[in-house]
Amino acid sequence: MKVRQGYILLEVIVCTFIMSMLIMVLYSIIISAINTKDNIEDKIELNQQAEEMEYHIKNIVENSINIINITTTDNEVIETLQENKTYNVLSIKLNFKSDDENINSKNKKDNQEISFKRDLKKIFINTLYDDNSNKAGGYE
């Protein structure tokens, strides 16, 4: 009886097939884990941005003197709010006392506008000065 030394071709093919299957399974698990990590990071970042926007908007509304008007998604301008009624809002114009030192009168009232631009999918906060000056103000 002959003693075989080494592998036959069939053994090499079977071993290669098994190794390639293990590599494909591990690769798919790694890709799935990376995608899940990216999705979780995106959701966390979006949540942090929403909290930051909520803080700024809440601060502006709390420090305002009164609401000038509200523009709804139907482009209806509402100057008097009805109790227990909800609105789909595009923009809110508020009256507040300015803390800006560049303005001569410290009691000068300025308007602040919080607006949502649908086409850009962004929220803008603009400062609208009463004296019609060309000062740019606001952020997105």
Side-chain angles (χ1 to χ4, degrees), residues 10-76:
L10 183 60
E11 289 174 336
V12 171
I13 292 173
V14 169
C15 180
T16 305
F17 176 76
I18 292 172
M19 291 299 288
S20 65
M21 292 304 283
L22 286 174
I23 290 171
M24 286 189 334
V25 167
L26 289 175
Y27 179 76
S28 66
I29 290 172
I30 289 172
I31 294 298
S32 175
I34 290 171
N35 288 339
T36 303
K37 178 193 76 82
D38 289 343
N39 287 339
I40 290 171
E41 284 178 350
D42 289 344
K43 288 179 182 179
I44 289 171
E45 182 178 353
L46 187 62
N47 189 19
Q48 289 172 341
Q49 289 174 354
E51 287 176 0
E52 186 71 21
M53 286 188 314
E54 178 188 10
Y55 169 77
H56 284 291
I57 291 170
K58 184 178 178 183
N59 191 22
I60 289 169
V61 172
E62 284 178 348
N63 292 326
S64 67
I65 298 169
N66 64 343
I67 295 175
I68 299 170
N69 65 37
I70 295 174
T71 305
T72 65
T73 54
D74 302 328
N75 289 327
E76 177 186 355

Side-chain angles (χ1 to χ4, degrees), residues 78-90:
I78 300 169
E79 293 183 5
T80 306
L81 298 176
Q82 297 176 7
E83 207 171 310
N84 296 328
K85 185 172 182 186
T86 58
Y87 301 97
N88 291 326
V89 176
L90 281 181

